[in-house]
Amino acid sequence: MHYRKIGKTGIKVSNISFGASSLGEGFHLLKEEVGIQAVYTAVDNGINFIDVSPYYGHLKAEIVLGKALKTLNEIVIICRQRLAAMEKMALTPGTIQPGEPKRVFLKAWNG
């Protein structure tokens, strides 16, 4: 896997990211265990950059991602989308409350 630095931070992220939209079942039904295994496979293959949005399955992707990451000892960088995803999916502001994505992710991560 090849990595590049993010600006002057010194943080290195994989050139390939894991798009977590499928974890939210936005495009097809996906069993949670299969989604968790997909995250494990990505990380095992050197991917440490994950793209997620609270609008992927109305927080479901963040819940599944939290469950997957809580068992890993790897450091991953999570890129969260908000307004761009909301505009693409024509969701209205207020559908998901501010701070709610972080709460559900941490709840899933902490069990």
Side-chain angles (χ1 to χ4, degrees), residues 18 20 23 32 35-36 39-40 50 52 59-72 76 78 101-111:
F18 178 85
L23 301 180
E32 188 173 286
I36 290 171
V39 174
Y40 292 163
I50 299 176
V52 69
L59 299 171
K60 182 166 184 187
E62 292 194 345
I63 292 168
V64 174
L65 183 59
K67 289 178 179 180
L69 295 180
K70 77 178 183 178
T71 62
L72 295 176
V76 295
I78 300 171
K102 181 178 178 181
R103 281 191 297 277
V104 299
F105 177 82
L106 292 175
K107 182 178 178 184
W109 187 340
N110 292 322

Side-chain angles (χ1 to χ4, degrees), residues 8 17 31-32 47 55 58-59 64 72 84 86 100:
K8 297 179 182 179
S17 68
K31 291 184 179 179
E32 188 173 286
I47 294 174
Y55 301 101
H58 290 295
L59 299 171
V64 174
L72 295 176
M86 186 171 66
E100 188 176 3

Side-chain angles (χ1 to χ4, degrees), residues 42-93:
V43 172
D44 287 346
N45 284 285
I47 294 174
N48 70 348
F49 187 56
I50 299 176
D51 165 55
V52 69
S53 170
Y55 301 101
Y56 297 162
H58 290 295
L59 299 171
K60 182 166 184 187
E62 292 194 345
I63 292 168
V64 174
L65 183 59
K67 289 178 179 180
L69 295 180
K70 77 178 183 178
T71 62
L72 295 176
N73 291 324
E74 305 292 328
I75 294 175
V76 295
I77 308 301
I78 300 171
C79 173
R80 293 186 60 236
Q81 298 180 19
R82 188 170 175 143
L83 293 176
M86 186 171 66
E87 291 169 4
K88 284 182 200 172
M89 300 176 75
L91 295 173
T92 56

